[in-house]
Every structure is written in structure tokens, then in C-alpha cells.
Amino acid sequence: MARRRGLRRLAVLLLTLALAVGGIYTAVYFVQRSETLVSERCTATAGDRTGELAPDQAANAALITAAAVRRRLPARAATIALATAMQESKLRNIGHGDQAGPDSRGLFQQRPSQGWGTEAQIMDPYYAVNAFYDALVKIPGYETLDITDAAQQVQRSAYPKAYAQHEEMGRAFASGLTGQTPAAVQCTLRSPTAAGNSATVATDLEQAYGGVDAQVDGATLVVAADGALAWSVAQWAVANAKDLAVTKVEVAGRSWGRPGGDGWQASGAADGQVRITIRQDDAGT
């Protein structure tokens, strides 16, 4: 009898331990998988160069680089612009001045008092980046200048050597976002909490690149492009995925998806097009 009671107690103890261990495992698994703990970030790797940006910074980097692609400027121009904007504004469209001057504004901290345009114009990122490139291309041989020298000739900064510290980031993101390095840019993001709109993505894409052949197919925007342009558009979509509720990007046998940070994976994506899929609402619209 006593032996039987002892066995029952042992069985209860073992069951309790099993439940406790199972509970701990479940809790740990949940914590590991919980998207609330995902550190959202975007990275670029091109050769031995790497860079990391927050998603909002990456979206601005994509805008700056797309403008260079649209103008048929070399990737070097985008590198200079990215390093400059990182130093001047941390790649954010800020509406206040700094040590450069009380009236400096925007991605490049341009100043109305120095002829860059009105405050409203400078706060328009598309205007600001094209104003920067307009000044850059007037510099003889800017493509072969040190990045800090080219940036300084445009900006006339009180800290001319500061641009150099952002060169590696600029080169990595410029190489990926211009499409020179396929699958260079990837973002680790949580699942989108709100639906996106394919037409909005098409509008933003057209504003960034101009003249793109994009067709809306339900929740997917299909962009006709190949080669470097296809990879530029694809990585632009990844860099803008957080704000535009992009869930999947497919191009040239590779695909990127969220949530998670698995990067670009082999897929059956066809050549000659980029497929950008947007989160729909529960009604499928």
C-alpha cells in the first residue's frame, strides 16, 4: 500500500515537472517568435562594405538613390548624396536647423538664405535631392573626387571632413539601391498592421523613377524591368516596405518577404519583371 502511494506521488511529481518544463519551453518559444521583439532594421552588403539604417532612413536612402538612377547618374553620385544626407540630417527630413544655420532644413539641411529654394521646396524630399544633384554635377570630375571633397564643394560645411565617416554606408546602400549589387539590401520587419494600396505604391514608384511600366494585379504591382533597373526597383520596394505595407518582393529568381529577417531567398521569380505584393485588408481590397 505504502509502495503504491509512493509510486502515485512519484507519478504526480514527474507529471508536474513535465508540465513545468513544457510550459517553460512554450514560453521561451513564444518569446523567441514574438514579433514585438523584432528589431526592425535595414542592411546593405556590397562586397566587403556594409551599412545599417532604420527603416525610415532606408526609405529616404531609396528615394535619394532612385533620383540618381532616374537622372542616369553614376552610383558614385548616390554614394556622395547618401553620405551627405546622413551627416546633415541622419537621413531624415527634419524641419529645423542645426549648427549649419537656423534656417537650414530637410534631408540636406539646405538653406533658403543661400539660394537653395524656399523652405517649402527644401522640405520636399524630391526637390531637395534634385537640387543637391544639380549642384553636384556642376563640379568638374566629381566622380573621381574623394567623397568628402565632393560633398564639401556642394555643402560648404563648417565640418568638411565629417562626411567621410559615412562613406562605407553610402557605398553599400548605393550599390544595392542602384541595382549594381543584386540582393544587397534587405530589411528585417514585423508583419504590417494595416493594409497597403497597390496604386499608392505605383504612384510612389513613378515619382521616384519616372516612366516605369507598372500594372496593378490585385494585391500585387507588376513592374516591367530587367537587369540593374529591376534590382534597383526591387530593393527600393524592400527599403519602403514598412511604410507601404509591402509583404513580398520577387525578382530574377529571388524573393524577399516579411516578417522575419531571412533575407533574399531562391524562388521561381521570372526575369523581366518585379512583383511587389502589398498587404490587403480583411475584405481583400
Side-chain angles (χ1 to χ4, degrees), residues 28-217:
V28 170
Y29 181 80
F30 176 79
V31 169
Q32 289 176 336
R33 299 294 295 176
S34 175
E35 288 191 38
T36 62
L37 299 182
V38 171
S39 176
E40 296 193 312
R41 65 191 184 280
C42 297
T43 60
T45 302
D48 59 354
R49 298 186 175 91
T50 61
E52 181 175 316
L53 297 172
D56 66 315
Q57 293 173 309
N60 285 325
L63 181 154
I64 289 168
T65 307
V69 172
R70 180 173 185 168
R71 294 172 64 126
R72 302 182 185 278
L73 298 177
R76 182 73 168 182
T79 298
I80 296 166
L82 291 174
T84 301
M86 189 63 174
Q87 174 59 29
E88 297 292 355
S89 69
K90 300 300 181 187
L91 272 169
R92 292 185 168 105
N93 194 33
I94 54 179
H96 57 79
D98 60 7
Q99 66 268 22
D103 65 334
S104 56
R105 298 287 187 275
L107 286 170
F108 296 92
Q109 287 291 281
Q110 294 155 330
R111 303 179 63 182
S113 63
Q114 293 184 349
W116 284 102
T118 67
E119 181 174 338
Q121 287 175 321
I122 291 169
M123 285 301 297
D124 176 356
Y126 294 95
Y127 174 92
V129 67
N130 279 292
F132 179 87
Y133 286 137
D134 286 345
L136 179 65
V137 297
K138 293 176 182 177
I139 299 170
Y142 76 87
E143 303 97 324
T144 58
L145 291 177
D146 287 342
I147 286 175
T148 189
D149 293 337
Q152 173 62 6
Q153 288 194 46
V154 175
Q155 298 293 106
R156 304 296 180 183
S157 170
Y159 306 96
K161 300 300 181 183
Y163 302 110
Q165 64 187 311
H166 307 298
E167 180 172 343
E168 183 167 307
M169 177 281 300
R171 287 188 171 187
F173 274 94
S175 186
L177 291 168
T178 58
Q180 286 194 347
T181 301
V185 177
Q186 74 104 356
C187 295
T188 300
L189 302 171
R190 305 181 191 104
S191 296
T193 57
N197 186 293
S198 300
T200 298
V201 179
T203 298
D204 287 359
L205 187 66
E206 175 66 25
Q207 190 170 25
Y209 289 91
V212 294
D213 180 3
Q215 304 294 325
V216 175
D217 180 14

